[in-house]
Amino acid sequence: MDEFMQTESIVLAPFETRHLDDAVALSRAAGWAHRREDWEMIWSLSQGRVALAGDRVVGTALMTPFGDTCSSINMIIVDESQRGRGLGRKLTTAVLELAENRECRLTATNDGLPLYEKLGFVATDQIVRHQGIVNRVNAPENAEWVEPDALPAIKALDRAAFGASRDALIDVLAKQGRFAAIRNDDRIVAFASTRLFGKGEVVGPVVAENVEQARDLLAFILSGKEGHFVRTDIPEQTGLSSQLEDWGMPQEGEVVAMVRGAVGRSQTPAVQTFCLASQAIG
């Protein structure tokens, strides 16, 4: 694909640092919670395209690669004044080309679902957003905060659960927030991350062997967040919704996880993702 693509009066161009402020404004107009710092985090790991009407950003899309085998298609926004003209499809197609032969994952609203189905994506899960002001939560005794020397074990667990390497993401999360873990003897068997996001904090990813470990990690992190606004995004089938509601984080929306060009796994992983890092990057 050419670096610049002309479509009527709209030009698609590489997403650069100078476009971040306009991207934040677009996402706020769409009702998203993302701060500039949240955009910067995802953009720092990604390649992308913007749609320009003159010097004004009227659309965005990012492709976040995870090694050579997998990617996330995310941050797809079209200015309200430009909707209904096929611009969302053009932006999505442009970043799919950036993904080359990688498996592509994304989350879709009901409005976006028909477009992504036409582009070859298949629904896999419902992703549920839970958020709110956290109640008093008792901390379990089997979880602890961990230091940077735990990152190799955390990366290995995340790779097993996600099915691709997200080492660069884990490094960024370690700089922006904290990791908690559960050990079996000296071996880390489950972990969770927390960081600032939007109008409060977010917990995720949470990777564990079972739902009990995932619940204990969430309880450990939330025990220090009483009175604070916290969000987490979970696959619906994890069964954590009722517990999160009890902790003051009701369900407030859902999206559909989708995949294109899925690469099958040779065996069932010993751990799974109970909470996403974010809807954008899984």
Side-chain angles (χ1 to χ4, degrees):
M1 190 185 80
D2 293 337
E3 185 177 52
F4 294 93
M5 182 168 66
Q6 182 76 33
T7 305
E8 298 178 350
S9 60
I10 305 296
V11 174
L12 296 195
F15 194 133
E16 300 176 351
T17 306
R18 60 192 174 94
H19 299 128
L20 279 169
D21 286 338
D22 282 350
V24 174
L26 270 185
S27 62
R28 286 177 178 165
W32 294 14
H34 295 67
R35 307 165 301 155
R36 193 181 198 277
E37 295 90 339
D38 303 321
W39 268 96
E40 286 178 333
M41 188 196 88
I42 298 175
W43 176 77
S44 71
L45 298 166
S46 307
Q47 302 173 51
R49 293 289 182 263
V50 291
L52 299 173
D55 294 330
R56 186 168 67 95
V57 175
V58 295
T60 62
L62 295 179
M63 184 283 298
T64 309
F66 302 120
D68 296 327
T69 61
C70 187
S71 67
S72 172
I73 306 301
N74 55 72
M75 310 306 278
I76 299 171
I77 312 176
V78 174
D79 186 273
E80 188 174 6
S81 67
Q82 301 295 326
R83 292 175 190 168
R85 303 181 184 183
L87 186 54
R89 185 185 186 103
K90 292 181 174 68
L91 282 162
T92 305
T93 300
V95 290
L96 285 173
E97 292 182 12
L98 294 176
E100 298 179 332
N101 295 322
R102 293 177 178 89
E103 173 184 315
C104 296
R105 306 182 191 183
L106 57 74
T107 56
T109 62
N110 288 333
D111 289 341
L113 201 59
L115 166 62
Y116 301 130
E117 289 176 338
K118 290 176 183 176
L119 291 173
F121 284 87
V122 177
T124 57
D125 297 299
Q126 291 289 124
I127 304 299
V128 180
R129 181 176 77 248
H130 282 266
Q131 61 186 24
I133 305 300
V134 177
N135 297 330
R136 181 178 176 82
V137 179
N138 294 321
E141 296 181 356
N142 60 335
E144 62 182 0
W145 296 114
V146 294
E147 299 301 323
D149 61 1
L151 290 183
I154 286 170
K155 290 174 179 178
L157 286 173
D158 185 74
R159 197 177 308 124
F162 189 78
S165 173
R166 298 197 296 179
D167 290 3
L169 170 63
I170 298 299
D171 287 336
V172 169
L173 295 178
K175 291 177 182 177
Q176 295 197 357
R178 304 182 73 185
F179 280 96
I182 292 174
R183 299 179 188 268
N184 184 351
D185 295 326
D186 289 332
R187 183 171 62 92
I188 292 176
V189 296
F191 77 86
S193 173
T194 184
R195 67 186 189 279
L196 295 176
F197 175 85
K199 57 184 180 180
E201 300 177 54
V202 63
V203 179
V206 175
V207 170
E209 297 172 315
N210 52 59
V211 69
E212 290 79 18
Q213 289 177 346
R215 186 177 58 240
D216 286 347
L217 284 164
L218 283 164
F220 177 77
I221 290 176
L222 295 177
S223 67
K225 310 295 184 187
E226 182 179 356
H228 292 259
F229 183 90
V230 179
R231 167 179 174 164
T232 192
D233 296 274
I234 66 171
E236 188 174 46
Q237 73 272 16
T238 59
L240 289 168
S241 283
S242 60
Q243 182 64 79
L244 288 165
E245 290 172 357
D246 289 345
W247 287 335
M249 299 169 62
Q251 178 178 335
E252 294 192 1
E254 60 184 24
V255 293
V256 180
M258 308 187 79
V259 64
R260 187 176 96 152
V263 177
R265 300 199 196 185
S266 59
Q267 59 186 12
T268 302
V271 289
Q272 69 180 91
T273 301
F274 285 86
C275 303
L276 277 58
S278 72
Q279 290 184 5
I281 48 181

